[in-house]
Amino acid sequence: MSDSPREESFSSLQHIAIIMDGNGRWAQRRHLPRLLGHRAGVKAVERIVRATTSYHIPYLSLYAFSTENWKRPQTEVKGLMSIFKFYIRKKIDELREEGVRLRFAGRMQGVPDDIREIMYQAENITKNGERLQLIVCLNYGGRQEILDAIQHIVRENDGTEITEGTFRKYLYLPDIPDPDLIIRTSGEQRLSNFWLWQGAYSELYFTSVLWPDFTEKTLKDAIDSFEKRDRRYGGIQS
């Protein structure tokens, strides 16, 4: 992933999460098949991964495929899975060389076997990456994650008090920090079941830009907006 933007650092920003929305509309406006919109969306992912690493932001999570997306036409779902397999295989060595650790969050038992195998391989190949943790949320739903955590707690609870810290241990990726900033593209202003527990105190940023048109400048605009905000977590400004 060459041609990185200029180096810059944002010490207060550790984790950016993005709801990548608008691929289909981008294609429709150009009278193209929806799958071409998803392919264009992958190019936007490449741009934003480069920008995030150049800004020294250690965590980037992307909402790629929700638990509800299986309801889409099967031709589109199969096309999305094919695109996913192709780009993971194509980019995995490059991610490793760039110090990017690829991880996945979601219900793995609901993912086709061939996709799951590629995911495990990708996580293993990039496990030593220290420059950026790229979390791809695939077959992910915030409510389902909470329900899965509760079911594990019920099975394993020995009568001790359940605290936030205890609950966090049962989330899909308990070691990653909560997102500081959640960005949603395409003009929609809702979380759509994304990082519901982790996003309790995240700053939200909505843009009308469709995901395939999302650039380093769009990301920088969102970061600049975040940097101007006063995060009090329920308290008052000192």
Side-chain angles (χ1 to χ4, degrees):
M1 294 193 177
S2 56
D3 299 325
S4 296
R6 66 186 182 282
E7 297 286 324
E8 194 166 352
S9 181
F10 301 91
S11 59
S12 63
L13 187 51
Q14 296 295 302
H15 181 182
I16 293 178
I18 305 178
I19 302 171
M20 305 178 294
D21 195 13
N23 290 345
R25 273 168 283 176
W26 183 91
Q28 288 171 348
R29 290 178 184 180
R30 290 161 174 78
H31 306 288
L32 299 171
R34 288 176 59 86
L35 282 177
L36 291 185
H38 294 308
R39 290 180 182 176
V42 173
K43 297 298 183 182
V45 169
E46 294 183 26
R47 290 194 297 269
I48 298 316
V49 170
R50 285 195 296 268
T52 304
T53 54
S54 73
Y55 292 154
H56 303 288
I57 296 168
Y59 296 88
L60 172 66
S61 59
L62 303 174
Y63 201 8
F65 194 89
S66 75
T67 52
E68 291 78 24
N69 286 154
W70 298 107
K71 301 174 185 177
R72 294 186 176 188
Q74 283 302 300
T75 53
E76 182 174 354
V77 172
K78 289 180 180 179
L80 280 166
M81 292 298 127
S82 295
I83 291 171
F84 177 78
K85 286 194 294 184
F86 174 80
Y87 277 99
I88 289 295
R89 287 170 173 161
K90 180 180 179 181
K91 294 294 182 180
I92 193 63
D93 289 333
E94 189 175 346
L95 291 171
R96 179 184 58 190
E97 291 170 4
E98 293 291 334
V100 177
R101 181 184 180 187
L102 184 60
R103 305 179 71 183
F104 297 93
R107 299 200 85 199
M108 295 302 101
Q109 62 267 40
V111 177
D113 291 344
D114 58 335
I115 301 292
R116 192 163 61 243
E117 181 62 27
I118 291 172
M119 293 163 65
Y120 291 149
Q121 290 176 1
E123 287 186 323
N124 184 58
I125 290 170
T126 64
K127 63 184 179 181
N128 295 322
E130 297 182 347
R131 191 177 182 192
L132 171 71
Q133 289 201 32
L134 175 61
I135 298 105
V136 176
C137 297
L138 185 74
N139 196 30
Y140 177 86
R143 288 180 175 179
Q144 190 63 60
E145 180 179 22
I146 292 169
L147 289 174
D148 287 347
I150 292 171
Q151 289 171 359
H152 283 113
I153 290 171
V154 169
R155 286 197 296 267
E156 299 178 14
N157 184 29
D158 58 1
T160 58
E161 180 184 3
I162 303 301
T163 65
E164 285 194 23
T166 304
F167 186 85
R168 179 178 291 276
K169 293 177 182 178
Y170 292 89
L171 297 175
Y172 294 147
L173 295 178
D175 59 301
I176 68 171
D178 293 339
D180 302 292
L181 173 64
I182 297 178
I183 301 169
R184 179 162 188 156
T185 62
S186 87
E188 304 294 348
Q189 299 188 24
R190 55 181 179 270
L191 290 176
S192 294
N193 206 16
F194 183 50
W195 285 154
L196 296 185
W197 174 273
Q198 297 89 335
Y201 282 100
S202 301
E203 296 295 322
L204 307 180
Y205 182 87
F206 302 105
T207 174
S208 61
V209 174
L210 301 178
W211 176 245
D213 293 326
F214 200 91
T215 64
E216 180 200 351
K217 182 183 183 304
T218 322
L219 179 65
K220 185 62 164 55
D221 289 343
I223 293 173
D224 288 343
S225 174
F226 170 85
E227 293 285 298
K228 295 174 183 176
R229 301 184 190 185
D230 179 20
R231 307 184 75 201
R232 298 190 297 274
Y233 300 97
I236 60 174
Q237 189 173 15
S238 58

